[in-house]
Amino acid sequence: MPNAPQEPGRLNVSFVRGDAWGQLVDFSSPSNVTGYTFAAGLYSTVTGDLVQAITTTVVDAATGQVNLSLTAVQTAAIPAGTYEFRLSWGPTARRVYEGFCEVLP
């Protein structure tokens, strides 16, 4: 599983349809995300509509590690193409990562 150790900003991801996918995000500022909530998803680049929500799991709040994941069934249901990727955190929704997601056939 790839690791994304960077400050909030741009993050491009990709995966193959039908494969389980995971991405560990390691926040360095703030490094402690205790009490934060996270939401992530893939969005249509044409309409902006949500195509697929991404499961977010806090792995270690004290060190700022959050895992993003999709099951093989979820990735198989997404048509090949390019989508907008967004990751937000709270308590007040704030986008911390955005980029593109390439879904490969």
Side-chain angles (χ1 to χ4, degrees):
M1 172 182 333
N3 187 4
Q6 63 182 33
E7 295 290 328
R10 198 105 180 118
L11 178 62
N12 295 318
V13 298
S14 66
F15 56 81
V16 175
R17 289 184 75 225
D19 286 355
W21 171 80
Q23 174 82 46
L24 181 65
V25 179
D26 188 4
F27 291 99
S28 57
S29 177
S31 59
N32 187 332
V33 295
T34 301
Y36 284 67
T37 57
F38 294 86
L42 301 180
Y43 296 82
S44 167
T45 58
V46 176
T47 65
D49 293 339
L50 178 66
V51 173
Q52 176 64 57
I54 297 172
T55 302
T56 60
T57 307
V58 176
V59 176
D60 187 342
T63 61
Q65 293 185 335
V66 177
N67 189 59
L68 311 176
S69 63
L70 292 170
T71 67
V73 171
Q74 289 172 313
T75 67
I78 304 169
T82 302
Y83 299 87
E84 184 179 350
F85 165 79
R86 299 179 199 161
L87 171 63
S88 300
W89 65 14
T92 305
R94 177 179 159 227
R95 193 173 305 168
V96 289
Y97 283 120
E98 63 184 359
F100 291 102
C101 176
E102 186 71 27
V103 179
L104 305 169

XYZ file of all heavy atoms in Angstrom:
784
model
N 0.839 -1.166 0.000
C 0.000 0.000 0.000
C 0.890 1.236 0.000
O 1.750 1.376 0.851
C -0.886 -0.053 1.241
C -1.680 1.169 1.484
S -2.695 1.122 2.987
C -3.035 -0.561 3.261
N 0.713 2.148 -0.960
C 1.545 3.349 -1.006
C 1.266 4.287 0.163
O 0.172 4.308 0.705
C 1.185 4.001 -2.338
C -0.027 3.318 -2.827
C -0.201 2.045 -2.064
N 2.250 5.055 0.528
C 2.157 6.014 1.619
C 2.258 7.417 1.028
O 3.046 7.643 0.121
C 3.299 5.765 2.603
C 3.196 6.598 3.852
O 2.232 7.321 4.053
N 4.187 6.493 4.705
N 1.451 8.353 1.538
C 1.463 9.724 1.033
C 1.906 10.668 2.143
O 1.086 11.316 2.769
C 0.090 10.118 0.518
N 3.221 10.732 2.426
C 3.683 11.619 3.492
C 3.919 13.027 2.967
O 4.999 13.336 2.482
C 4.987 10.968 3.933
C 5.503 10.339 2.681
C 4.286 9.947 1.874
N 2.920 13.869 3.014
C 3.080 15.227 2.515
C 2.089 16.131 3.203
O 1.123 15.682 3.790
C 2.900 15.287 1.002
C 1.508 14.895 0.530
C 1.411 14.926 -0.973
O 2.363 14.644 -1.667
N 0.256 15.265 -1.473
N 2.350 17.424 3.128
C 1.413 18.414 3.643
C 0.153 18.370 2.782
O 0.195 17.927 1.645
C 2.048 19.808 3.552
C 3.263 19.995 4.424
C 2.932 20.021 5.899
O 1.831 20.489 6.257
O 3.760 19.575 6.689
N -0.960 18.858 3.320
C -2.162 18.922 2.495
C -1.903 19.642 1.174
O -1.142 20.593 1.117
C -3.138 19.702 3.382
C -2.692 19.362 4.760
C -1.184 19.282 4.672
N -2.517 19.147 0.123
C -2.325 19.722 -1.197
C -2.811 18.784 -2.275
O -3.896 18.242 -2.210
N -1.982 18.540 -3.265
C -2.323 17.731 -4.426
C -1.925 16.282 -4.201
O -0.821 16.004 -3.739
C -1.565 18.277 -5.632
C -2.139 17.828 -6.916
C -2.899 19.023 -7.498
N -3.487 18.670 -8.756
C -4.793 18.694 -8.945
N -5.594 19.049 -8.001
N -5.288 18.395 -10.098
N -2.828 15.360 -4.521
C -2.531 13.932 -4.423
C -3.259 13.219 -5.555
O -4.489 13.220 -5.601
C -2.984 13.374 -3.068
C -2.776 11.879 -2.841
C -1.292 11.526 -2.887
C -3.380 11.450 -1.508
N -2.501 12.678 -6.496
C -3.070 11.895 -7.591
C -2.929 10.423 -7.255
O -1.904 10.000 -6.718
C -2.367 12.222 -8.904
C -2.607 13.655 -9.334
O -3.707 14.165 -9.238
N -1.569 14.311 -9.800
N -3.960 9.654 -7.569
C -3.964 8.219 -7.273
C -4.431 7.459 -8.498
O -5.006 8.036 -9.424
C -4.867 7.896 -6.057
C -4.354 8.583 -4.802
C -6.311 8.276 -6.320
N -4.198 6.145 -8.485
C -4.698 5.293 -9.563
C -4.840 3.870 -9.043
O -4.216 3.488 -8.055
C -3.764 5.325 -10.774
O -2.525 4.745 -10.459
N -5.693 3.123 -9.714
C -5.853 1.703 -9.398
C -6.459 0.994 -10.602
O -6.971 1.628 -11.523
C -6.697 1.488 -8.133
C -8.063 2.124 -8.169
C -9.128 1.513 -8.812
C -8.278 3.335 -7.544
C -10.382 2.096 -8.830
C -9.534 3.928 -7.546
C -10.583 3.305 -8.200
N -6.402 -0.332 -10.581
C -6.953 -1.173 -11.642
C -8.344 -1.617 -11.220
O -8.539 -2.056 -10.072
C -6.041 -2.394 -11.896
C -6.676 -3.338 -12.910
C -4.666 -1.938 -12.361
N -9.314 -1.500 -12.122
C -10.678 -1.966 -11.845
C -10.645 -3.413 -11.376
O -9.941 -4.238 -11.930
C -11.543 -1.902 -13.102
C -11.905 -0.519 -13.529
C -12.852 -0.522 -14.725
N -14.176 -0.904 -14.251
C -14.962 -1.782 -14.847
N -14.590 -2.375 -15.958
N -16.148 -2.070 -14.350
N -11.380 -3.720 -10.340
C -11.475 -5.083 -9.836
C -10.417 -5.439 -8.802
O -10.458 -6.528 -8.234
N -9.463 -4.546 -8.550
C -8.452 -4.768 -7.514
C -8.830 -3.987 -6.262
O -9.334 -2.869 -6.359
C -7.071 -4.271 -7.966
C -6.411 -5.167 -8.987
O -6.967 -6.250 -9.292
O -5.338 -4.787 -9.491
N -8.552 -4.554 -5.098
C -8.702 -3.784 -3.864
C -7.641 -2.690 -3.891
O -6.541 -2.875 -4.431
C -8.514 -4.688 -2.656
N -7.960 -1.533 -3.326
C -7.040 -0.391 -3.345
C -6.951 0.217 -1.960
O -7.936 0.289 -1.232
C -7.543 0.661 -4.330
C -6.798 1.953 -4.270
C -5.595 2.228 -4.844
C -7.192 3.148 -3.589
N -5.219 3.529 -4.559
C -6.187 4.102 -3.784
C -8.302 3.490 -2.818
C -6.257 5.390 -3.248
C -8.378 4.766 -2.284
C -7.356 5.695 -2.513
N -5.765 0.653 -1.585
C -5.569 1.331 -0.322
C -4.463 2.361 -0.433
O -3.534 2.212 -1.223
N -4.587 3.418 0.361
C -3.597 4.496 0.381
C -3.467 4.971 1.822
O -4.460 5.390 2.425
C -4.073 5.651 -0.499
C -3.202 6.892 -0.456
C -2.007 6.775 -1.364
O -2.135 6.367 -2.510
N -0.852 7.130 -0.862
N -2.269 4.896 2.387
C -2.027 5.423 3.720
C -1.611 6.877 3.585
O -0.676 7.202 2.863
C -0.933 4.630 4.434
C -0.617 5.086 5.858
C -1.814 4.860 6.776
C 0.604 4.365 6.391
N -2.330 7.770 4.267
C -2.003 9.191 4.265
C -1.418 9.512 5.638
O -2.034 9.230 6.660
C -3.253 10.055 3.985
C -2.901 11.524 4.000
C -3.876 9.666 2.651
N -0.222 10.070 5.620
C 0.507 10.374 6.846
C 0.628 11.893 6.948
O 1.474 12.493 6.315
C 1.880 9.704 6.787
C 2.641 9.790 8.082
O 2.107 10.288 9.073
O 3.801 9.358 8.094
N -0.228 12.505 7.735
C -0.218 13.957 7.874
C 0.951 14.387 8.752
O 1.144 13.866 9.839
C -1.527 14.457 8.498
C -2.708 14.292 7.597
C -3.567 13.226 7.752
C -2.946 15.191 6.578
C -4.661 13.071 6.912
C -4.028 15.053 5.735
C -4.885 13.984 5.908
N 1.708 15.358 8.285
C 2.811 15.865 9.090
C 2.434 17.171 9.782
O 3.101 17.586 10.712
C 4.063 16.051 8.227
O 3.794 16.910 7.151
N 1.341 17.815 9.342
C 0.891 19.037 9.989
C -0.613 19.164 9.812
O -1.061 19.385 8.692
C 1.576 20.253 9.385
O 1.087 21.429 9.972
N -1.468 18.968 10.802
C -1.041 18.582 12.144
C -0.732 17.094 12.188
O -1.337 16.318 11.455
C -2.265 18.899 13.000
C -3.414 18.680 12.073
C -2.917 19.104 10.711
N 0.199 16.715 13.031
C 0.518 15.302 13.117
C -0.487 14.564 13.981
O -0.674 13.368 13.824
C 1.930 15.103 13.666
O 2.034 15.684 14.947
N -1.171 15.250 14.878
C -2.173 14.623 15.721
C -3.554 14.985 15.177
O -3.925 16.153 15.143
C -2.028 15.105 17.169
C -2.946 14.349 18.111
O -4.004 13.867 17.734
N -2.535 14.252 19.363
N -4.300 13.994 14.732
C -5.623 14.238 14.156
C -6.740 13.698 15.064
O -7.828 13.416 14.593
C -5.730 13.660 12.723
C -4.783 14.383 11.777
C -5.489 12.163 12.706
N -6.449 13.581 16.355
C -7.459 13.132 17.305
C -8.654 14.084 17.254
O -8.495 15.299 17.289
C -6.880 13.099 18.735
O -5.764 12.205 18.753
C -7.922 12.637 19.746
N -9.851 13.510 17.125
C -11.070 14.307 17.056
C -11.455 14.744 15.655
O -12.528 15.303 15.458
N -10.597 14.503 14.678
C -10.907 14.861 13.300
C -11.789 13.780 12.672
O -11.683 12.605 13.005
C -9.634 14.977 12.460
C -8.841 16.240 12.690
C -8.194 16.492 13.903
C -8.705 17.175 11.676
C -7.458 17.640 14.094
C -7.964 18.333 11.865
C -7.351 18.555 13.081
O -6.621 19.693 13.264
N -12.624 14.185 11.752
C -13.372 13.246 10.925
C -12.869 13.406 9.495
O -12.388 14.473 9.116
C -14.886 13.523 10.984
O -15.132 14.870 10.580
C -15.422 13.298 12.394
N -12.983 12.353 8.717
C -12.474 12.360 7.354
C -13.538 11.856 6.395
O -14.334 10.990 6.731
C -11.232 11.467 7.242
C -10.068 11.992 8.017
C -9.915 11.680 9.360
C -9.135 12.821 7.422
C -8.858 12.184 10.096
C -8.079 13.333 8.147
C -7.935 13.012 9.482
N -13.542 12.401 5.185
C -14.424 11.956 4.114
C -13.638 12.030 2.815
O -12.897 12.986 2.581
C -15.665 12.830 4.035
N -13.796 11.013 1.982
C -13.089 10.985 0.699
C -14.016 10.398 -0.359
O -14.928 9.626 -0.051
C -11.817 10.159 0.802
N -13.753 10.765 -1.599
C -14.566 10.232 -2.675
C -13.979 10.513 -4.042
O -13.046 11.304 -4.189
N -14.535 9.825 -5.022
C -14.222 10.054 -6.433
C -15.421 10.742 -7.054
O -16.568 10.331 -6.845
C -13.957 8.733 -7.148
C -12.819 7.883 -6.598
C -12.685 6.598 -7.411
C -11.528 8.654 -6.585
N -15.146 11.794 -7.830
C -16.198 12.626 -8.398
C -16.045 12.730 -9.907
O -14.920 12.728 -10.429
C -16.144 14.030 -7.780
C -16.417 14.022 -6.304
C -15.418 13.716 -5.390
C -17.690 14.293 -5.823
C -15.671 13.685 -4.019
C -17.955 14.279 -4.457
C -16.947 13.967 -3.566
O -17.200 13.934 -2.220
N -17.166 12.863 -10.587
C -17.161 13.047 -12.033
C -16.464 14.360 -12.376
O -16.758 15.399 -11.768
C -18.596 13.076 -12.563
O -18.620 13.546 -13.897
N -15.562 14.329 -13.339
C -14.897 15.558 -13.789
C -15.829 16.399 -14.662
O -15.546 17.555 -14.920
C -13.600 15.249 -14.566
O -13.924 14.425 -15.677
C -12.571 14.571 -13.680
N -16.939 15.816 -15.106
C -17.897 16.532 -15.959
C -18.976 17.202 -15.117
O -19.231 18.399 -15.248
C -18.537 15.569 -16.990
C -19.606 16.276 -17.805
C -17.472 14.973 -17.890
N -19.623 16.434 -14.228
C -20.762 16.946 -13.467
C -20.411 17.337 -12.029
O -21.172 18.060 -11.386
C -21.887 15.906 -13.407
O -21.426 14.772 -12.656
C -22.321 15.476 -14.800
N -19.316 16.797 -11.511
C -18.950 17.023 -10.116
C -19.688 16.121 -9.146
O -19.507 16.217 -7.933
N -20.532 15.217 -9.661
C -21.296 14.298 -8.812
C -20.393 13.224 -8.217
O -19.427 12.773 -8.848
C -22.401 13.606 -9.613
C -23.487 14.565 -10.080
O -23.621 15.653 -9.481
O -24.190 14.224 -11.060
N -20.752 12.784 -7.011
C -20.025 11.694 -6.364
C -20.234 10.406 -7.139
O -21.367 10.010 -7.405
C -20.514 11.520 -4.917
C -19.881 10.379 -4.127
C -18.401 10.639 -3.879
C -20.616 10.185 -2.803
N -19.137 9.751 -7.519
C -19.182 8.473 -8.225
C -19.010 7.332 -7.231
O -19.708 6.326 -7.301
C -18.089 8.407 -9.320
C -18.013 7.034 -9.955
C -18.327 9.483 -10.360
N -18.078 7.486 -6.294
C -17.813 6.434 -5.312
C -17.233 7.048 -4.047
O -16.216 7.742 -4.109
C -16.822 5.406 -5.871
C -16.417 4.323 -4.899
C -17.578 3.428 -4.490
O -18.235 2.823 -5.329
N -17.855 3.366 -3.202
N -17.884 6.795 -2.911
C -17.311 7.192 -1.622
C -16.139 6.260 -1.306
O -16.158 5.081 -1.665
C -18.363 7.111 -0.526
N -15.128 6.802 -0.660
C -13.950 6.030 -0.268
C -13.990 5.847 1.241
O -14.247 6.804 1.984
C -12.656 6.760 -0.690
C -12.602 6.882 -2.217
C -11.423 6.048 -0.151
C -11.460 7.743 -2.733
N -13.743 4.634 1.706
C -13.710 4.355 3.136
C -12.480 5.005 3.748
O -11.367 4.836 3.238
C -13.678 2.837 3.394
O -14.834 2.255 2.783
C -13.668 2.530 4.875
N -12.680 5.759 4.824
C -11.571 6.396 5.537
C -11.519 5.823 6.947
O -12.532 5.758 7.640
C -11.734 7.924 5.610
O -12.946 8.240 6.283
C -11.748 8.544 4.228
N -10.320 5.399 7.353
C -10.121 4.798 8.665
C -8.908 5.442 9.316
O -7.823 5.445 8.724
C -9.875 3.276 8.539
O -10.932 2.704 7.773
C -9.796 2.621 9.903
N -9.092 5.988 10.521
C -7.952 6.538 11.250
C -7.152 5.360 11.795
O -7.658 4.559 12.581
C -8.412 7.476 12.382
C -7.214 7.961 13.190
C -9.184 8.652 11.814
N -5.903 5.245 11.348
C -5.023 4.162 11.771
C -4.363 4.517 13.095
O -4.321 3.708 14.024
C -3.945 3.874 10.689
C -2.962 2.822 11.155
C -4.612 3.479 9.384
N -3.847 5.723 13.196
C -3.180 6.202 14.413
C -3.377 7.715 14.489
O -2.655 8.467 13.832
C -1.703 5.838 14.385
C -0.983 6.145 15.688
O -1.508 6.942 16.510
O 0.108 5.598 15.901
N -4.360 8.147 15.283
C -4.682 9.577 15.374
C -3.517 10.384 15.930
O -3.267 11.500 15.484
C -5.926 9.779 16.225
N -2.791 9.838 16.895
C -1.706 10.584 17.544
C -0.578 10.927 16.585
O 0.090 11.944 16.740
C -1.166 9.797 18.730
N -0.353 10.085 15.564
C 0.717 10.353 14.598
C 0.177 10.797 13.243
O 0.933 10.976 12.298
C 1.616 9.118 14.404
O 0.823 8.037 13.893
C 2.288 8.717 15.700
N -1.143 10.964 13.124
C -1.732 11.510 11.906
C -1.821 10.556 10.749
O -1.719 10.966 9.594
N -2.062 9.261 11.014
C -2.146 8.287 9.923
C -3.591 7.886 9.657
O -4.304 7.454 10.567
C -1.314 7.055 10.242
C 0.165 7.345 10.281
C 0.981 6.093 10.481
O 0.505 5.103 11.025
N 2.214 6.135 10.024
N -3.990 8.036 8.386
C -5.342 7.723 7.953
C -5.247 6.837 6.720
O -4.453 7.101 5.807
C -6.129 9.012 7.617
C -7.511 8.688 7.091
C -6.198 9.920 8.835
N -6.046 5.775 6.695
C -6.050 4.875 5.544
C -7.300 5.127 4.702
O -8.397 5.304 5.228
C -6.036 3.414 6.005
C -5.808 2.478 4.842
O -4.793 2.570 4.172
N -6.752 1.595 4.598
N -7.112 5.152 3.391
C -8.200 5.255 2.433
C -8.294 3.919 1.722
O -7.258 3.334 1.385
C -7.919 6.353 1.408
C -7.485 7.708 1.961
C -7.146 8.652 0.815
C -8.559 8.291 2.839
N -9.505 3.428 1.475
C -9.592 2.127 0.820
C -10.885 1.944 0.042
O -11.903 2.579 0.323
C -9.456 0.994 1.855
O -10.525 1.036 2.780
N -10.792 1.065 -0.951
C -11.922 0.590 -1.736
C -11.774 -0.922 -1.870
O -10.659 -1.431 -2.040
C -11.944 1.218 -3.129
C -12.229 2.712 -3.211
C -11.963 3.226 -4.623
C -13.662 3.000 -2.795
N -12.887 -1.634 -1.823
C -12.850 -3.078 -2.010
C -12.761 -3.399 -3.509
O -13.016 -2.529 -4.355
C -14.115 -3.742 -1.445
O -15.242 -3.332 -2.232
C -14.316 -3.397 0.031
N -12.449 -4.654 -3.819
C -12.399 -5.089 -5.221
C -13.772 -4.926 -5.879
O -13.865 -4.545 -7.054
C -11.923 -6.536 -5.296
N -14.843 -5.197 -5.145
C -16.198 -5.042 -5.685
C -16.477 -3.575 -6.017
O -17.049 -3.259 -7.066
C -17.241 -5.594 -4.685
C -18.657 -5.261 -5.120
C -17.076 -7.098 -4.520
N -16.055 -2.675 -5.135
C -16.265 -1.238 -5.390
C -15.490 -0.765 -6.609
O -16.029 -0.026 -7.440
C -15.860 -0.415 -4.166
C -16.808 -0.559 -2.995
C -16.279 0.111 -1.749
O -15.124 -0.067 -1.383
N -17.132 0.888 -1.108
N -14.220 -1.149 -6.742
C -13.435 -0.681 -7.896
C -13.948 -1.283 -9.199
O -13.880 -0.641 -10.238
C -11.929 -0.975 -7.739
O -11.700 -2.384 -7.764
C -11.367 -0.354 -6.470
N -14.474 -2.515 -9.146
C -15.006 -3.151 -10.353
C -16.240 -2.417 -10.879
O -16.525 -2.460 -12.079
C -15.344 -4.615 -10.082
N -16.950 -1.729 -9.996
C -18.175 -1.028 -10.390
C -17.913 0.351 -10.993
O -18.831 0.989 -11.500
C -19.092 -0.886 -9.172
N -16.658 0.800 -10.951
C -16.319 2.130 -11.476
C -15.801 1.985 -12.906
O -14.829 1.269 -13.140
C -15.240 2.798 -10.596
C -15.697 2.874 -9.145
C -14.905 4.191 -11.132
C -14.596 3.283 -8.183
N -16.425 2.646 -13.873
C -15.924 2.569 -15.244
C -14.501 3.131 -15.353
O -14.141 4.068 -14.631
C -16.905 3.435 -16.042
C -18.145 3.487 -15.206
C -17.665 3.432 -13.780
N -13.704 2.547 -16.232
C -12.347 3.060 -16.466
C -12.439 4.518 -16.900
O -13.368 4.915 -17.597
C -11.643 2.227 -17.534
N -11.494 5.322 -16.438
C -11.485 6.730 -16.793
C -10.797 7.559 -15.731
O -10.169 7.032 -14.814
N -10.943 8.869 -15.860
C -10.322 9.800 -14.926
C -11.403 10.478 -14.099
O -12.408 10.951 -14.635
C -9.509 10.861 -15.700
O -8.521 10.198 -16.486
C -8.825 11.824 -14.739
N -11.170 10.544 -12.796
C -12.105 11.132 -11.851
C -11.369 12.142 -10.982
O -10.148 12.096 -10.862
C -12.727 10.040 -10.963
C -13.496 9.037 -11.771
C -12.854 7.923 -12.322
C -14.841 9.215 -12.035
C -13.546 7.015 -13.101
C -15.549 8.305 -12.813
C -14.893 7.205 -13.344
O -15.584 6.320 -14.128
N -12.126 13.018 -10.348
C -11.536 13.924 -9.375
C -11.518 13.206 -8.029
O -12.497 12.580 -7.631
C -12.340 15.214 -9.276
C -11.698 16.225 -8.351
C -12.465 17.530 -8.239
O -13.407 17.746 -9.022
O -12.123 18.319 -7.354
N -10.390 13.290 -7.341
C -10.219 12.702 -6.020
C -10.242 13.822 -4.987
O -9.592 14.856 -5.175
C -8.872 11.955 -5.968
C -8.414 11.618 -4.582
C -8.955 10.541 -3.906
C -7.448 12.379 -3.950
C -8.544 10.233 -2.625
C -7.028 12.080 -2.673
C -7.573 10.999 -2.004
N -11.006 13.643 -3.904
C -11.063 14.645 -2.838
C -11.002 13.962 -1.476
O -11.658 12.946 -1.259
C -12.368 15.440 -2.889
C -12.590 16.207 -4.153
C -13.926 16.930 -4.089
N -14.371 17.311 -5.416
C -15.623 17.624 -5.713
N -16.552 17.611 -4.766
N -15.945 17.971 -6.934
N -10.237 14.557 -0.570
C -10.183 14.129 0.823
C -10.372 15.368 1.687
O -9.648 16.356 1.526
C -8.844 13.452 1.150
C -8.575 13.137 2.624
C -9.589 12.149 3.185
C -7.161 12.603 2.796
N -11.370 15.310 2.577
C -11.654 16.426 3.477
C -11.539 15.957 4.913
O -11.695 14.778 5.212
C -13.070 16.957 3.241
O -13.217 17.413 1.928
N -11.273 16.922 5.820
C -11.254 16.592 7.236
C -12.080 17.602 8.003
O -12.408 18.674 7.506
C -9.845 16.471 7.784
C -8.995 17.716 7.811
C -9.387 19.019 7.656
C -7.602 17.763 8.013
N -8.320 19.862 7.741
C -7.203 19.113 7.970
C -6.631 16.813 8.249
C -5.888 19.515 8.140
C -5.323 17.223 8.412
C -4.966 18.552 8.353
N -12.446 17.264 9.223
C -13.238 18.138 10.077
C -12.575 18.259 11.422
O -11.487 17.756 11.590
N -13.138 18.932 12.362
C -14.573 19.047 12.583
C -15.290 19.974 11.604
O -16.465 19.802 11.343
C -14.680 19.565 14.022
C -13.360 20.177 14.333
C -12.356 19.497 13.454
N -14.657 20.972 11.049
C -15.256 21.784 10.000
C -14.713 21.273 8.675
O -13.507 21.200 8.497
C -14.877 23.271 10.169
O -15.254 23.690 11.477
C -15.555 24.123 9.131
N -15.600 20.880 7.766
C -15.152 20.285 6.501
C -14.171 21.210 5.787
O -14.466 22.374 5.522
C -16.344 19.996 5.609
N -12.998 20.694 5.531
C -11.959 21.434 4.819
C -11.238 20.451 3.901
O -10.776 19.404 4.356
C -10.960 22.026 5.818
C -9.814 22.733 5.150
C -8.849 23.321 6.179
N -7.587 23.529 5.513
C -6.426 23.169 5.998
N -6.338 22.590 7.159
N -5.325 23.383 5.316
N -11.164 20.771 2.629
C -10.496 19.884 1.684
C -8.995 19.967 1.918
O -8.407 21.034 1.889
C -10.832 20.268 0.254
C -10.433 19.199 -0.737
C -10.907 19.496 -2.122
N -12.341 19.708 -2.152
C -12.969 20.207 -3.201
N -12.328 20.540 -4.272
N -14.278 20.387 -3.162
N -8.378 18.808 2.166
C -6.940 18.787 2.417
C -6.157 18.190 1.256
O -4.991 18.521 1.070
C -6.585 18.043 3.726
C -7.021 18.847 4.920
C -7.169 16.653 3.763
N -6.786 17.309 0.511
C -6.154 16.756 -0.683
C -7.169 16.781 -1.807
O -8.350 16.507 -1.602
C -5.719 15.300 -0.494
C -4.474 15.102 0.288
C -4.487 14.361 1.453
C -3.264 15.635 -0.136
C -3.334 14.159 2.181
C -2.110 15.439 0.596
C -2.148 14.700 1.749
O -1.007 14.500 2.476
N -6.682 17.080 -2.982
C -7.478 16.916 -4.179
C -6.525 16.580 -5.308
O -5.335 16.867 -5.246
C -8.311 18.155 -4.488
C -7.496 19.394 -4.792
C -8.373 20.620 -5.001
O -9.611 20.506 -4.929
O -7.815 21.681 -5.245
N -7.048 15.924 -6.287
C -6.219 15.529 -7.421
C -7.069 14.717 -8.378
O -8.295 14.839 -8.392
N -6.410 13.885 -9.136
C -7.124 13.035 -10.078
C -6.894 11.581 -9.739
O -5.874 11.214 -9.168
C -6.652 13.317 -11.515
C -7.075 14.674 -11.996
C -6.190 15.728 -12.021
C -8.381 14.897 -12.402
C -6.581 16.981 -12.442
C -8.797 16.150 -12.830
C -7.889 17.190 -12.848
N -7.877 10.772 -10.083
C -7.784 9.330 -9.912
C -7.965 8.699 -11.280
O -8.987 8.916 -11.937
C -8.849 8.815 -8.958
S -8.836 7.008 -8.830
N -6.984 7.941 -11.682
C -7.057 7.203 -12.954
C -7.494 5.776 -12.632
O -6.797 5.056 -11.924
C -5.716 7.208 -13.654
C -5.729 6.604 -15.036
C -6.460 7.477 -16.052
O -6.518 8.707 -15.869
O -6.973 6.925 -17.042
N -8.666 5.396 -13.151
C -9.160 4.032 -12.988
C -8.780 3.276 -14.256
O -9.252 3.604 -15.347
C -10.690 3.993 -12.755
C -11.176 2.556 -12.625
C -11.037 4.803 -11.508
N -7.901 2.308 -14.107
C -7.354 1.586 -15.249
C -8.191 0.341 -15.540
O -8.684 -0.306 -14.609
C -5.906 1.184 -14.965
C -4.993 2.365 -14.574
C -3.664 1.865 -14.046
C -4.816 3.286 -15.752
N -8.344 -0.017 -16.829
C -9.167 -1.206 -17.179
C -8.513 -2.507 -16.744
O -7.368 -2.597 -16.491
C -9.276 -1.123 -18.691
C -8.233 -0.161 -19.156
C -7.813 0.643 -17.975
